[in-house]
Amino acid sequence: NAVMRRCEIIGNELADASTTYGGGGGRLRDNAILEDSEIRANYSAGQGGGVHLSDNSIMRRCLVMANQAAGSTYGGGGIYVYLGNPTLENCRIVHNTNAPGYAGGVSVRWTSSNPTAPAIRNCLIAFNIGTNAGGVYLYDAPGEIVNCTIVSNKATATYVSGGVFFSGSTAAVHNSIIYQNLGHASYPQWNNYRVLGANVPAISHSCAVPAADAYGAGNTTNDPLFISSDPGNYNFRLPAVSPCVNAGSNQLWMADALDLDGKARLDRFSGLVDMGCYEYVAPGTMLSIK
C-alpha cells in the first residue's frame, strides 16, 4: 500500500536479464500507487525498461518516456505488466523501445497460474518501437483498454503489428483510437492491430484500420483528423469535425472522470464521451450585457 507522488525516476539500470519480473526504474506491487511522476531513460536487460506493474497497483498521471528493455521474452520498453489486476490511468507512454523483445510501449503477459487483467484508461501510447508490437502487446491477456490513443508506434519484425498485437488475447478495447501505426511493409493490414489465435478481443466504438466490425459495434475507419500528428509538433487532440467526437460509449466510471488534459470526460453540452484519451470541449463565448 505504498504511495509515491511527484517523483522523478531517471537513468536507472537493471542489469540482470534473468530476473523474472524486471523493471529498470522500479517495480510496483501489492496495491502500490505512483502518481504525477516521471519515469524516464531507465534500462532493463530483461523486461520492463521503465516499470514492472503488478498486484493491483496503480499508476496515474505519469510520464513514461525514453525507457528501454532488452529482454527477448515479453519485453515492455515502457511498462511490463504481469500478475494481478493493475491499473494505468491518464499516463503518457512515449518514445520507449524494446529490442529484440516484444512491445515498445506496454507488454502484458497472462498465464493460467498468474492471471493478469489490467485496466488501461485515458492513456496516450505513441512513438514507441518494439519487435512484435510497437504500442501494446497482449499475450493471452484479458483486461480492458478504454479511451486510449495508440498512434505512431512502430514494430520491426515480420508478422506483427505497429499498434496492438492481440496474441490469443480476449482483452476488451472501447472508445479508443488505434491509428497511424506502422508494422512490416509486407503486411500493411496489420499496421494498427493484429488478432492472432482462437481467442479474440472485443473491439467497440473505436477508430482503427482495418475495420473492426467483426469484433464489436460502433467502430469506424475514418481519419480521426488529429490537430497534428507530426512527430516534431504532435497534438493528438481532436477538432470539432473529427468523426471520433461524441462517438464513444458511456461507462459508469466516466461520471466524475477526467481526460488526459484534466477536462471532464463527459462534456456538459453533449454528455457523450469521445474516442481517444482527449475529450473535445467546444469553446465558449463571453457575452457582455450593459
Side-chain angles (χ1 to χ4, degrees):
N1 300 310
V3 178
M4 297 175 64
R5 294 190 176 100
R6 295 179 292 278
C7 296
E8 292 184 340
I9 304 171
I10 299 174
N12 302 284
E13 178 179 350
L14 177 63
D16 184 2
S18 65
T19 183
T20 303
Y21 302 110
R27 181 184 177 193
L28 270 71
R29 58 175 295 182
D30 299 331
N31 306 298
I33 297 175
L34 178 63
E35 296 179 328
D36 303 301
S37 296
E38 180 177 342
I39 302 95
R40 177 167 55 87
N42 301 286
Y43 171 83
S44 172
Q47 291 83 28
V51 176
H52 171 226
L53 188 65
S54 69
D55 302 304
N56 305 306
S57 293
I58 298 172
M59 288 180 64
R60 293 191 185 102
R61 301 180 299 276
C62 291
L63 172 64
V64 183
M65 179 176 181
N67 301 283
Q68 181 181 1
S72 59
T73 305
Y74 306 115
I79 299 173
Y80 175 56
V81 180
Y82 183 48
L83 298 173
N85 304 303
T87 300
L88 274 168
E89 291 182 333
N90 296 64
C91 291
R92 294 172 174 86
I93 303 159
V94 295
H95 295 290
N96 302 284
T97 59
N98 192 95
Y102 285 61
V106 181
S107 184
V108 182
R109 181 186 176 193
W110 187 96
T111 65
S112 57
S113 58
N114 295 302
T116 306
I120 306 175
R121 302 188 187 115
N122 294 329
C123 290
L124 173 65
I125 303 173
F127 303 116
N128 302 288
I129 300 176
T131 304
N132 289 44
V136 182
Y137 182 85
L138 297 156
Y139 179 79
D140 286 348
E144 190 174 54
I145 299 173
V146 187
N147 281 103
C148 289
T149 300
I150 303 172
V151 291
S152 297
N153 301 285
K154 181 180 179 181
T156 58
T158 306
Y159 303 102
V160 296
S161 173
V164 182
F165 193 166
F166 301 92
S167 179
S169 170
T170 58
V173 179
H174 305 301
N175 303 342
S176 294
I177 301 174
I178 309 173
Y179 218 79
Q180 296 178 348
N181 299 284
L182 186 63
H184 195 275
S186 300
Y187 301 94
Q189 68 271 29
W190 296 331
N191 278 342
N192 291 300
Y193 70 94
R194 184 185 181 192
V195 176
L196 179 66
N199 297 323
V200 296
I203 304 175
S204 69
H205 296 90
S206 294
C207 176
V209 174
D213 294 343
Y215 306 104
N219 298 302
T220 180
T221 60
N222 293 333
D223 191 328
L225 303 174
F226 296 124
I227 292 177
S228 171
S229 58
D230 178 75
N233 187 32
Y234 65 88
N235 183 347
F236 295 116
R237 295 167 182 83
L238 305 173
V241 294
S242 171
C244 299
V245 171
N246 297 336
S249 176
N250 290 10
Q251 297 182 355
L252 291 176
W253 65 268
M254 299 172 182
D256 57 355
L258 303 177
D259 76 348
L260 196 56
D261 275 339
K263 298 176 182 176
R265 190 70 262 194
L266 300 178
D267 74 76
R268 69 177 70 181
F269 301 105
S270 69
L272 299 173
V273 70
D274 298 344
M275 296 177 181
C277 60
Y278 296 109
E279 191 76 15
Y280 172 77
V281 179
T285 301
M286 293 290 292
L287 297 177
S288 178
I289 301 175
K290 295 182 179 180

